[in-house]
Amino acid sequence: MTATITSISHYLPPDIYPNSYFEKYLDTSDEWIVARTGISERRFIKDGATSDMIVPAAKKCLEKRGLKPKDIDCIIVASVTPDHMFPSTACVVQNKLGAENAWGYDISAACSGFLFALVTAAKLVESGAAKHLLLCGADKMSSIVNFEDRAQAVLFGDGAGVCLIEKSDDPEMGILDSILHIDGSGGPYLNQVAGGSYRPASIETVNNKEHYIYQDGQAVFKAAVVGMADVSLEIMQKNNLTADDIAWLVPHQANLRIITATANRMGLDKEKVMININKYGNTTAGTIPICMSEWLNVGKIHKGDRLVLSSFGAGFTWGSVLLRWNMNE
Ligand code: ACO
């Protein structure tokens, strides 16, 4: 028995911030940002929290499937920008949706959050512990970005992707395989130093800007290029797949150069790679479901398509998932 995505939707805030927005106050340029990252613009939510992006996407997702909030029996939220340290954003979403029959929890795996949550969700559905599971990947990165630091201000955006995970009617379809990794020795290269029990919030932590993202860009880049490309090739080889067997690579959108390196390693043409980093930047746990939702909306994913989902992020966390699309157009 397998589990599968039976509905998917996304939410992006309406307010667009092009590269020229940063050119006005930071020592940066559209040319640098596009050449080094592939990003031209991103969205930031003006009012509201991460749950306020999840809820409209969740409503659309349920509506498409013809389900009501009370039909949901489990909610998983992947995010590094939860509404609060506690209660979980899953609880906030449950309450805002009126999903009175659901339990749920949050998963923290940064840019790999959606993949880690997808695999967990699939296991819950396969075991019969959940039937209609609402899986949310969402981040309000603008709440932790240091907008005075040109090396990170330009990279991130806000957004949410939500899907339903249910039992597959065909065991050859749905979420078929996964390879997931963590390596905590990568922690010092990408993190949020303060605000947790290690370094509780204080005037000093605020003055030191320790509640913002810290990133050693080059160190993360080097690890991401190798990690994401290797794990994507590995899942192909493990399942005896060639590039011809794969309809789409759905890569985490952190840097176009990392995406290109991954596609090259897999021997995939760029026509088979979902790329929207140019429009939205890195929405962390949101990038992969937002890609799939957008591509589905324009009729570019078909029943039976094999998709390889790949990610790399803080932790370090990385992995790939092989799934066979099981939704009718
Ligand atoms: N505009 C102009 N110049 C800039 C900018 C900018 N926005 N940002 C940095 N620079 C400068 C640097 O200061 C440096 O100048 P120097 O040579 O005078 O010191 C120069 O550009 C090169 O800087 P690098 O950091 O070496 O640039 P690089 O090519 O590595 O690109 C980037 C930086 C885009 C951050 C890249 O390293 C990257 O994408 N890293 C990986 C990000 C990632 O995958 N993160 C994981 C997911 S995020 C998560 O999990 C939450």
Side-chain angles (χ1 to χ4, degrees):
M1 214 254 277
T2 55
T4 192
I5 296 173
T6 54
S7 181
I8 188 160
S9 198
H10 68 279
Y11 176 86
L12 288 153
D15 295 300
I16 299 173
Y17 292 76
N19 290 345
S20 55
Y21 169 81
F22 299 98
E23 284 178 328
K24 284 185 204 142
Y25 77 98
L26 284 174
D27 179 16
T28 189
S29 67
D30 179 54
E31 291 74 25
W32 191 97
I33 302 168
V34 172
R36 295 295 183 113
T37 71
I39 301 167
S40 295
E41 57 189 44
R42 70 290 288 148
R43 314 282 184 100
F44 297 134
I45 185 169
K46 277 203 172 128
D47 299 305
T50 297
S51 67
D52 295 306
M53 298 187 288
I54 292 174
V55 168
K59 284 183 177 165
K60 250 192 288 169
C61 180
L62 289 175
E63 194 184 298
K64 281 186 182 176
R65 180 75 179 137
L67 292 179
K68 300 262 178 276
K70 69 175 171 39
D71 297 320
I72 300 302
D73 51 13
C74 185
I75 300 171
I76 303 181
V77 174
S79 186
V80 287
T81 50
D83 288 23
H84 318 279
M85 285 292 283
F86 67 90
S88 70
T89 304
C91 289
V92 178
V93 168
Q94 181 273 340
N95 189 42
K96 285 184 177 173
L97 281 177
E100 59 199 56
N101 298 312
W103 68 293
Y105 54 93
D106 291 2
I107 280 183
S108 172
C111 296
S112 302
F114 181 79
L115 285 200
F116 284 24
L118 178 64
V119 172
T120 312
K123 300 297 175 202
L124 285 173
V125 169
E126 283 168 18
S127 71
K131 268 190 174 163
H132 309 292
L133 190 151
L134 195 72
L135 172 57
C136 318
D139 270 294
K140 180 185 172 183
M141 295 307 288
S142 60
S143 64
I144 55 170
V145 162
N146 179 355
F147 283 103
E148 289 167 6
D149 176 1
R150 66 178 182 172
Q152 61 171 280
V154 302
L155 301 178
F156 296 97
D158 303 338
V162 174
C163 58
L164 264 168
I165 308 295
E166 297 176 281
K167 202 164 79 174
S168 170
D169 48 12
D170 178 347
E172 306 287 307
M173 305 279 249
I175 295 133
L176 300 180
D177 197 13
S178 62
I179 304 173
L180 305 175
H181 297 285
I182 63 172
D183 177 2
S185 70
Y189 304 110
L190 179 53
N191 55 47
Q192 185 181 15
V193 174
S197 56
Y198 166 69
R199 198 149 162 72
S202 66
I203 289 171
E204 192 191 357
T205 63
V206 172
N207 287 340
N208 291 345
K209 303 185 193 310
E210 289 173 337
H211 297 272
Y212 292 131
I213 295 165
Y214 168 79
Q215 175 168 264
D216 176 342
Q218 269 200 13
V220 178
F221 184 87
K222 282 181 198 154
V225 161
V226 175
M228 207 161 110
D230 278 357
V231 80
S232 306
L233 185 65
E234 195 185 342
I235 204 158
M236 280 175 76
Q237 290 172 340
K238 191 177 161 206
N239 290 277
N240 297 316
L241 300 174
T242 67
D244 289 342
D245 300 317
I246 293 165
W248 291 106
L249 167 66
V250 193
H252 170 55
Q253 314 277 311
N255 188 314
L256 186 57
R257 291 182 289 148
I258 299 172
I259 296 172
T260 306
T262 302
N264 289 344
R265 193 84 201 282
M266 296 168 76
L268 284 187
D269 292 340
K270 70 172 191 304
E271 288 70 34
K272 287 186 166 192
V273 186
M274 293 189 191
I275 296 170
N276 60 14
I277 189 173
N278 51 316
K279 294 188 290 180
Y280 311 129
N282 180 357
T283 57
T284 303
T287 65
I288 290 177
I290 291 170
C291 272
M292 291 193 290
S293 174
E294 277 206 321
W295 260 247
L296 188 70
N297 283 350
V298 294
K300 288 200 212 160
I301 314 182
H302 307 287
K303 188 165 181 167
D305 279 355
R306 277 192 200 83
L307 274 57
V308 172
L309 284 43
S310 301
S311 67
F312 191 95
F316 293 136
T317 57
W318 71 106
S320 60
V321 166
L322 171 67
L323 68 83
R324 198 140 186 230
W325 201 256
N326 195 18
M327 280 168 64
N328 291 313
E329 277 97 81

